[in-house]
């Protein structure tokens, strides 16, 4: 009895200068969909983070093809995992009344995509 080989590609974009909340609302739309459907969704969504996610998704797809040396169609792959983790944030201070400093957190993300 032969087991079917599972082709899997993974790509990570680290320290992307976008808040994880903004990335998560886009990743929830493509999680579990086919690769070709998720490409179409990302091309037409109006968010700033979509080109970054598209880049990571394409990288994961090409990692599958390079590692296996196969030419497989895009429609046979699914986005099995698309998630975002919080990266360290940059701390900045904005001056406020009576000499106080108001902290500003400039958040960053780690975008992880598995096909």
């Amino acid at each position: 009895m032969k087991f079917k080989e599972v082709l899997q590609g993974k790509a990570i974009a680290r320290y992307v200068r976008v808040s994880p909340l903004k990335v998560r609302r886009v990743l929830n739309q493509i999680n579990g969909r086919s690769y070709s459907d998720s490409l179409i969704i990302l091309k037409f969504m109006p968010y700033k983070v979509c080109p970054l996610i598209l880049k990571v998704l394409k990288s994961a797809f090409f990692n599958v093809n390079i590692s296996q040396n196969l030419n497989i169609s895009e429609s046979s792959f699914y986005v099995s995992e698309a998630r975002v983790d919080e990266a360290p944030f940059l701390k900045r201070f904005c001056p406020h009344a009576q000499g106080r400093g108001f902290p500003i957190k400039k958040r960053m993300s780690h975008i992880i995509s598995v096909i």
Side-chain angles (χ1 to χ4, degrees):
M1 183 174 182
K2 290 186 178 180
F3 291 103
K4 186 177 177 183
E5 262 190 62
V6 177
L7 300 177
Q8 193 173 19
K10 184 176 181 179
I12 301 173
R14 295 186 187 273
Y15 303 104
V16 178
R17 190 46 201 94
V18 179
S19 173
L21 294 175
K22 294 177 182 179
V23 178
R24 199 168 287 124
R25 70 179 172 195
V26 177
L27 288 180
N28 288 338
Q29 298 297 320
I30 65 167
N31 209 357
R33 293 186 187 250
S34 69
Y35 175 71
S36 56
D37 287 347
S38 58
L39 289 181
I40 293 169
I41 290 170
L42 288 174
K43 284 181 185 176
F44 292 107
M45 284 184 92
Y47 300 115
K48 173 188 143 183
V49 75
C50 287
L52 300 171
I53 296 173
L54 191 62
K55 187 176 179 181
V56 175
L57 202 61
K58 284 183 179 180
S59 179
F61 176 71
F62 291 131
N63 286 341
V64 172
N65 279 344
I66 291 172
S67 64
Q68 302 298 328
N69 292 326
L70 300 172
N71 292 325
I72 301 173
S73 66
E74 296 179 354
S75 60
S76 61
F77 286 98
Y78 287 88
V79 180
S80 62
E81 181 184 3
R83 67 184 168 99
V84 61
D85 294 334
E86 190 171 328
F89 51 83
L90 299 172
K91 292 182 183 178
R92 300 290 181 258
F93 287 93
C94 181
H96 269 252
Q98 299 177 357
R100 295 187 180 98
F102 186 75
I104 297 173
K105 295 179 183 177
K106 296 187 177 270
R107 299 186 183 274
M108 290 188 283
S109 305
H110 299 312
I111 302 171
I112 300 156
S113 175
V114 178
I115 290 183

